[in-house]
Amino acid sequence: MAIVEVLLETDGNIGIRELASKTDISKSAVQRILDSLEENGWVSQDAKTLSYRIGFKLLSMTNSWRLRLELTRHSHDEMVKLCDESRQTILLLVLDGYRGICLDKVEPERTIKLVAEMGKVFPLHAAACGKILLAFAHPSLQNHILESPLEPYTPLTIIAPSKLRLEIEKIRKERKAVSVEEMTFGAAEIAVPLLNPDGSLIAALSIAGPKFDVEPELDRFEALLRSSADAITKRLINDRKNNGD
């Protein structure tokens, strides 16, 4: 990580000798570490000068986290508002490989709470938030999930690929997903997608809580979610325009 930090702070390329000097690591150790980093795409070597720079893999990951932080910043106030209006737990999730990951959560003051901390990962075939991510993901990711074994979390989890494919089509058409006891007994959830102007996926926004609270309010919660999703995406788009992204 000391080597990575120096590379990130350096404009252009840097040689092994200078890296060794700045990190107080022997040249032979620096060379071994760089060889490993280059093999895995984290750094890149200039063929002429034999010096090194940060690779696109790390830059891409850094940019991804920047976008996630911006998403959280622009959505949190709306999530608090949603929580106040619904008195249920509000979740914001994004794709992370072949799963969903919780970026932010706002929950009401109540005795019954959902276990969905920030950083918690979710399967894409179960619960409304996961199914939204799956339905608006790239077809290659959808096919990977559909061709993989689907774990049953409860008897109501969709584990038949043909049934899940139909569920994906329905979700894309309606732009919402609903689940009742698909991952947790006694829990229900409704989710909508946050989409770029070109229709590509940004994130999933959901209201989740006890089945007896959520099911009777699905129509109202859907309207609240759509209003918040529109507000968040407008903020993101305006921010991109202002920053020239």
Side-chain angles (χ1 to χ4, degrees), residues 29-43 52:
V30 169
Q31 181 66 73
R32 289 196 302 272
I33 293 168
L34 288 171
D35 287 345
S36 178
L37 290 172
E38 184 184 20
E39 182 180 350
N40 290 282
W42 298 110
V43 302
Y52 290 84

Side-chain angles (χ1 to χ4, degrees), residues 183-204:
M183 270 197 68
T184 306
F185 287 109
E189 181 183 24
I190 178 170
V192 300
L194 302 184
L195 302 174
N196 285 304
D198 64 0
S200 60
L201 178 70
I202 300 174

Side-chain angles (χ1 to χ4, degrees), residues 46-66:
D46 187 290
K48 292 182 179 180
T49 65
L50 302 182
S51 56
Y52 290 84
R53 63 182 180 275
I54 283 293
F56 286 114
K57 184 175 181 179
L58 185 58
L59 291 174
S60 175
M61 181 176 289
T62 303
N63 189 52
S64 174
W65 277 107
R66 180 184 70 83

Side-chain angles (χ1 to χ4, degrees), residues 140-232:
S140 61
L141 187 149
Q142 293 178 0
N143 290 333
H144 175 85
I145 298 298
L146 289 164
E147 293 167 3
S148 302
L150 301 175
E151 181 179 350
Y153 294 91
T154 74
L156 296 177
T157 306
I158 301 175
I159 57 173
S162 59
K163 187 175 180 182
L164 183 58
R165 190 177 293 278
L166 290 174
E167 181 78 349
I168 289 173
E169 293 174 0
K170 179 183 178 184
I171 291 169
R172 285 189 66 88
K173 181 179 179 180
E174 298 180 352
R175 293 201 170 192
K176 70 173 182 181
V178 175
S179 62
V180 178
E181 298 186 320
E182 288 186 10
M183 270 197 68
T184 306
F185 287 109
E189 181 183 24
I190 178 170
V192 300
L194 302 184
L195 302 174
N196 285 304
D198 64 0
S200 60
L201 178 70
I202 300 174
L205 183 68
S206 79
I207 295 176
K211 173 183 173 181
F212 54 78
D213 281 342
V214 174
E215 274 197 302
E217 298 278 5
L218 285 174
D219 289 342
R220 184 171 75 89
F221 288 172
E222 179 184 346
L224 292 175
L225 281 168
R226 293 197 187 282
S227 176
S228 291
D230 287 344
I232 294 168

Side-chain angles (χ1 to χ4, degrees), residues 102-168:
C102 181
L103 284 190
D104 199 5
K105 176 189 75 167
V106 178
E107 60 183 3
E109 292 295 329
R110 61 192 304 167
T111 55
I112 301 176
K113 296 182 183 291
L114 295 179
V115 181
E117 301 301 326
M118 285 184 287
K120 177 181 173 64
V121 295
F122 286 78
L124 299 182
H125 68 286
C129 56
K131 292 189 298 183
I132 276 287
L133 295 175
L134 178 61
F136 289 89
H138 192 276
S140 61
L141 187 149
Q142 293 178 0
N143 290 333
H144 175 85
I145 298 298
L146 289 164
E147 293 167 3
S148 302
L150 301 175
E151 181 179 350
Y153 294 91
T154 74
L156 296 177
T157 306
I158 301 175
I159 57 173
S162 59
K163 187 175 180 182
L164 183 58
R165 190 177 293 278
L166 290 174
E167 181 78 349
I168 289 173

